[in-house]
Amino acid sequence: MKRFLTNLSVLLLLVTFSYCQKNGSNGQQYRFNGTMNVDERTRTYLLNLPPHYYDNDSASFALVLGLHGGGGSAAQFEKDYHFTDKANAAGFIALYPDGIQSNGPLGLRTWNAGTCCDAAMEQNVDDVKFIRELIDYTISHYHVNPKKVYVTGMSNGAMMSYRLACELSDKIAAIAPVSGTLVTTKPCTPVRAVPILHIHSILDQKVPYAGGIGLAGYYYPPVDSGLDLWAGKNACSTKQVITDDNRYKLTQWTSCTNNVMMQLYLTKDGGHAWPGSQKVRAKADTPSTVVNANDLIWDFFQRYTLP
């Protein structure tokens, strides 16, 4: 715990960003700060509806969950990565859950992705249950197409997205982890093939692509080991299609079950940051400029629906 707080306080400045509920000119509400009780914990989240949400009562919208990294928050994810801007322009519902806060002086929020991170892992918080119930609640209360639910995440949030793919593949159509890796401790037992888009920088030293000790002194397995596991789960062809244009390398796994595809964008610039965003803090890594994560993620998600 002390190791995590000491290292993360240097690497991350927790962003506090206050949002008010946003109403349209006709009084309809588009933004919600919500709470729900799960396992005697009050869990929080932020929900944003796109501008045309109320135009057609029979319409149903894709739902994309954005999971913050260790020390971040729902509001921080939205603000730093401009994800609601993309959601509003593309017309999907954006849902930002919060991880639990530690009892330490910084109150850092984390997810229990397996072997990481901090209080959520140490207390064995059932974040899978929280996300499952949050998805079900959102589908039942908003115009969500239940076949178009997707998850992306940064760092610890990316790790959590991998765990969700293992345990909630019946609810999630595709995932897009950014700057994270697979750290699950339970057997990965998806009930269906899961499309995966992974984005990472070869220069990332906080969650090293090749694996090793990184952020907060944790050991992170190589990204390739997680992708290889998933290629097996998805019964993909052992022959990969690789494109290298000197700015990034794109690896694609094809001929997977049910026409699922897996993609890896490995950038040669940037670091432990959200590609296409801005550098958010003085000590933060510079984001890659050769790809835009928001565009890649939404383009990838649009290809897939649950069977």
Side-chain angles (χ1 to χ4, degrees):
M1 173 72 78
K2 291 181 179 179
R3 178 187 64 188
F4 185 89
L5 294 175
T6 299
N7 291 335
L8 200 54
S9 64
V10 174
L11 294 168
L12 297 173
L13 174 62
L14 190 61
V15 177
T16 302
F17 197 83
S18 177
Y19 287 96
C20 297
Q21 293 177 338
K22 180 181 178 182
N23 297 332
S25 57
N26 55 4
Q28 293 167 322
Q29 192 169 322
Y30 291 85
R31 296 179 64 77
F32 303 84
N33 289 284
T35 63
M36 66 188 311
N37 291 320
V38 181
D39 292 337
E40 300 183 350
R41 293 179 185 271
T42 299
R43 305 301 302 260
T44 57
Y45 62 90
L46 171 66
L47 180 84
N48 182 84
L49 306 177
H52 301 295
Y53 177 81
Y54 293 103
D55 290 356
N56 184 349
D57 287 342
S58 64
S60 62
F61 295 81
L63 173 67
V64 180
L65 283 74
L67 306 181
H68 62 78
S73 67
Q76 170 270 320
F77 185 103
E78 181 192 46
K79 173 181 177 288
D80 285 353
Y81 311 144
H82 306 286
F83 204 72
T84 286
D85 294 341
K86 182 64 182 180
N88 286 342
F92 61 84
I93 299 172
L95 177 59
Y96 310 101
D98 277 314
I100 68 154
Q101 281 187 292
S102 73
N103 293 324
L106 297 179
L108 301 177
R109 294 187 182 274
T110 53
W111 302 102
N112 179 14
T115 61
C116 185
C117 294
D118 194 45
M121 174 196 68
E122 293 167 0
Q123 298 176 30
N124 196 27
V125 174
D126 194 345
D127 280 320
V128 174
K129 181 179 180 180
F130 167 47
I131 298 299
R132 181 195 302 114
E133 294 189 5
L134 183 57
I135 290 173
D136 289 344
Y137 175 86
T138 307
I139 290 173
S140 66
H141 285 75
Y142 300 94
H143 301 310
V144 174
N145 184 338
K147 294 183 178 293
K148 295 184 176 182
V149 178
Y150 311 94
V151 178
T152 184
M154 171 67 189
S155 190
N156 181 210
M159 301 169 202
M160 189 65 206
S161 72
Y162 271 125
R163 181 173 181 186
L164 294 173
C166 290
E167 300 185 41
L168 294 184
S169 61
D170 60 324
K171 292 186 177 295
I172 296 170
I175 65 167
V178 178
S179 301
T181 190
L182 179 70
V183 296
T184 53
T185 54
K186 295 182 179 179
C188 184
T189 55
V191 299
R192 50 173 282 275
V194 180
I196 296 173
L197 165 66
H198 188 109
I199 305 173
H200 218 104
S201 169
I202 194 66
L203 303 178
D204 190 338
Q205 296 181 7
K206 295 171 183 173
V207 180
Y209 175 78
I213 303 299
L215 186 65
Y218 287 104
Y219 170 78
Y220 300 100
V223 171
D224 284 347
S225 65
L227 291 172
D228 287 345
L229 180 145
W230 271 103
K233 297 290 182 183
N234 289 341
C236 301
S237 169
T238 56
K239 184 177 180 180
Q240 302 164 4
V241 179
I242 299 176
T243 304
D244 193 332
D245 75 348
N246 295 320
R247 299 177 304 151
Y248 64 85
K249 183 170 75 170
L250 169 61
T251 302
Q252 301 186 82
W253 290 258
T254 58
S255 301
C256 309
T257 300
N258 296 330
N259 295 317
V260 160
M261 179 180 286
M262 294 172 52
Q263 292 184 328
L264 164 65
Y265 280 86
L266 184 62
T267 68
K268 300 179 182 181
D269 68 337
H272 193 70
W274 191 268
S277 65
Q278 288 124 13
K279 187 173 181 176
V280 295
R281 290 172 290 279
K283 294 183 179 180
D285 287 359
T286 300
S288 169
T289 61
V290 301
V291 298
N292 183 293
N294 291 348
D295 292 343
L296 289 178
I297 288 167
W298 180 237
D299 289 347
F300 185 79
F301 283 168
Q302 288 185 94
R303 304 178 191 181
Y304 299 103
T305 61
L306 284 173

